[in-house]
Amino acid sequence: MRPPLLPRWSVRSRILASILAVTALGMTVAGGSAYLIQRERILGEVDELLVARVEAARFVVTGEAAAEGEGVATAPEAAFATDREALEAVLARVIPGRNESALGIIGGAAALIPGVDVDVNLAADPAFVARVVEETAAGEVVMGTAVTPIGVLRYIAAPVDVAPTAERAVYVAAVDLEGELADVTSGFVIFALVALGALVAVGFVGWAVAGRLLRPIRRLRQTASRITVTDLHERIPVVGRDDVSELTETVNDMLGRLEASVTAQRRLLDDVRHELRTPLTIVRGHLELLDPGRPADVAATRDLVIDELDRMAGLVDDIELLTDADRSTMAMTSLDVADLTSGVSARAAVLPGHEWIVGETAHVTVRGDADRLTQAWLQLADNAAKYSPEGTPVVLGSTAAGGAVELWVRDRGPGIPDDARERIFERFGRVDAGRGIRGSGLGLPIVAAIAAAHGGYVTLQSGSTGSRFAVVIPVEGAGAVPVESDPLGEGSPE
Ligand code: ADP
């Protein structure tokens, strides 16, 4: 069940959101850092320019370059009689460039402006003039940034002092930062617009690609939701060769196994229904015909009914054994095959009507469930006893060869006809209705299931002189059993 509080985001949206987030982050970092680097470079250049302006002003007034932090001129080296004259000369000769302006302040008021057209008129903002006057009151050169109605200004202010007068003269040079940064800013705006366009394009392409990649998963989900237990034959088409196609193949394999298992269960149910119907019909028929007034009739019918019920009980037991063996509920341990052989021969020897001989004993170990292997081997011995003429010898033994060991039983019975070799290993499959001998037809399927659960199989050699059935399983540590090309092939049991 889906947690109720989580927002229902499709995988496609999540993939797209991640792609867009990463792309946007990358673009922002790239654009932002480029913008900041450019901006810092320009601000550095502006500061250098302003310092150069003050140096030029000093040169105009004194004919000498200024030492760092020094004002434009100090008496008495100056060639000018008054501060005003000196300031006029500076403003006339130090020409402001683009986005630049200058101002001469005398006695705390804007008094002189450059003789050329300038982009910013510093005199138009009295607050800025007052600020500069205040900052230069101590007679130092100051540099600062001011946000004013006429623009964001980076400025330098240097006192001019060529004659001792009461009125203080200050030379101010300023640069309009917005104007200076306009190129970088517009460049960044263009970058942002292009980045936005690219992001939209990435969004469309990402949406389409994610949709295309996820299409098989969508198909997988749709098919899976269509499939029910009654209709397991549908498979999902496998497109391409990638992780998704591998997932599709895995799901298809799983559906195949599921279908096989459901089919097997259904067949077992059908078989059981069919097999139980006969004894039930027999019991019902006899009970209907029973004359309760005749004691002999009652006794005979009673025996017959008990007999049929026993058969049904045996059938149910066999079905349980078969489903257990199919379920592979094995208690695997290391087993000595020689011990197993003597154990099985001792038990088989009590089966009446035959001479029991141990033909050969293999001295190897296997990994297996002792009870289940004994059960399978005894089943083969029981069949040999049932289907071969009374008094004939039955030989059993174990033979190790090529990493496998055979647990075999050989009889002198009628053998298995060619056309019945496969059938007798199917559930309820028998030769000629068991040749008149009672049985469920589940014995050999149980043996085959036990062999398979041990990683092996059953072989059969049969001819007119009898049959040889063998359970073939791997010797411990040998890995898998070499598969015989035709385990149920013809051949002499000898
Ligand atoms: P059941 O013995 O209950 O009929 P099995 O599965 O053990 O069922 O055997 C299936 C059929 O194979 C038997 O009905 C019998 O016809 C045949 N069969 C099995 N073992 C032998 C054997 N040793 N010799 C001849 N026929 C056999």
Side-chain angles (χ1 to χ4, degrees):
M1 236 180 71
R2 188 182 301 125
L5 291 176
L6 286 181
R8 216 187 132 192
W9 269 54
S10 68
V11 174
R12 191 180 189 182
S13 321
R14 272 184 281 172
I15 290 175
L16 189 70
S18 313
I19 292 174
L20 288 180
V22 172
T23 314
L25 188 73
M27 285 173 166
T28 310
V29 169
S33 49
Y35 173 74
L36 287 177
I37 289 168
Q38 289 272 28
R39 189 173 184 276
E40 283 309 303
R41 187 179 56 77
I42 287 174
L43 292 180
E45 283 173 6
V46 165
D47 283 4
E48 279 172 20
L49 178 89
L50 291 174
V51 170
R53 290 294 183 243
V54 169
E55 277 172 8
R58 181 181 168 80
F59 193 74
V60 168
V61 175
T62 65
E64 285 174 15
E68 195 156 322
E70 214 179 337
V72 168
T74 45
E77 301 95 336
F80 298 95
T82 61
D83 293 346
R84 174 179 283 273
E85 271 178 36
L87 210 49
E88 276 174 355
V90 169
L91 285 169
R93 294 209 214 138
V94 183
I95 309 295
R98 199 162 69 93
N99 297 322
E100 206 188 333
S101 188
L103 185 66
I105 299 173
I106 297 173
L112 301 164
I113 55 167
V116 294
D117 270 354
V118 285
D119 290 340
V120 191
N121 180 11
L122 299 177
D125 184 11
F128 173 68
V129 174
R131 171 183 172 157
V132 171
V133 169
E134 193 188 323
E135 284 175 354
T136 52
E140 299 287 321
V141 176
V142 291
M143 190 182 256
T145 308
V147 181
T148 69
I150 52 175
V152 179
L153 302 175
R154 183 73 178 159
Y155 63 90
I156 193 163
V160 176
D161 190 11
V162 295
T165 47
E167 289 193 325
R168 184 175 287 280
V170 179
Y171 167 68
V172 183
V175 171
D176 173 18
L177 287 184
E178 280 170 342
E180 203 64 13
L181 291 172
D183 284 352
V184 181
T185 310
S186 66
F188 184 72
V189 169
I190 290 170
F191 170 82
L193 289 176
V194 171
L196 205 68
L199 214 58
V200 172
V202 166
F204 277 117
V205 174
W207 183 252
V209 170
R212 200 179 158 74
L213 288 178
L214 292 171
R215 196 181 305 150
I217 292 184
R218 235 184 357 262
R219 254 202 314 259
L220 200 124
R221 184 176 57 75
Q222 285 163 353
T223 315
S225 62
R226 255 203 319 271
I227 292 171
T228 61
V229 177
T230 47
D231 177 26
L232 276 170
H233 66 273
E234 195 167 348
R235 295 290 178 274
I236 304 143
V238 181
V239 184
R241 275 178 65 84
D242 54 14
D243 309 21
V244 177
S245 68
E246 270 176 28
L247 173 69
T248 313
E249 276 169 17
T250 311
V251 171
N252 278 343
D253 287 350
M254 191 194 71
L255 283 173
R257 287 196 299 274
L258 213 62
E259 187 180 17
S261 147
V262 169
T263 312
Q265 273 188 23
R266 235 176 254 150
R267 267 188 50 206
L268 177 64
L269 266 181
D270 286 351
D271 290 350
V272 169
R273 198 170 47 225
H274 180 257
E275 290 300 311
L276 286 179
R277 188 165 289 148
T278 315
L280 285 173
T281 313
I282 293 172
V283 169
R284 187 188 168 85
H286 280 87
L287 288 177
E288 272 177 0
L289 297 175
L290 173 72
D291 180 356
R294 290 178 53 202
D297 201 12
V298 171
T301 305
R302 176 179 167 277
D303 288 350
L304 192 134
V305 166
I306 286 177
D307 203 33
E308 283 303 319
L309 288 179
D310 281 349
R311 210 159 75 84
M312 281 162 72
L315 191 72
V316 171
D317 287 348
D318 279 354
I319 288 169
E320 197 178 333
L321 283 174
L322 184 63
T323 46
D324 276 0
D326 272 347
R327 253 190 251 133
S328 316
T329 48
M330 304 279 155
M332 297 293 197
T333 54
S334 182
L335 302 174
D336 184 346
V337 173
D339 290 349
L340 203 66
T341 312
S342 59
V344 168
S345 69
R347 290 178 198 207
V350 301
L351 295 173
H354 295 276
E355 184 192 349
W356 292 91
I357 302 166
V358 177
E360 193 182 346
T361 300
H363 294 276
V364 290
T365 54
V366 291
R367 274 206 77 69
D369 183 320
D371 290 345
R372 293 303 164 88
L373 286 177
T374 306
Q375 178 194 349
W377 208 347
L378 279 177
Q379 177 68 47
L380 297 180
D382 190 49
N383 278 2
K386 268 198 308 191
Y387 296 107
S388 54
E390 227 181 301
T392 54
V394 179
V395 189
L396 59 83
S398 47
T399 309
V405 61
E406 286 186 316
L407 315 176
W408 54 266
V409 177
R410 197 172 66 217
D411 64 47
R412 294 201 174 281
I416 310 289
D418 285 352
D419 62 351
R421 281 172 196 277
E422 307 262 342
R423 191 174 71 240
I424 56 172
F425 287 96
E426 289 167 8
R427 272 195 306 263
F428 307 109
R430 311 189 73 205
V431 180
D432 303 337
R435 299 180 168 123
I437 296 159
R438 294 188 104 179
S440 65
L442 288 176
L444 289 177
I446 290 172
V447 176
I450 291 173
H454 284 78
Y457 50 88
V458 182
T459 62
L460 162 63
Q461 287 155 8
S462 179
S464 55
T465 53
S467 322
R468 181 183 185 274
F469 284 89
V471 170
V472 187
I473 54 172
V475 166
E476 189 165 31
V481 209
V483 178
E484 221 166 86
S485 58
D486 184 11
L488 306 181
E490 258 181 90
S492 164
E494 295 298 331

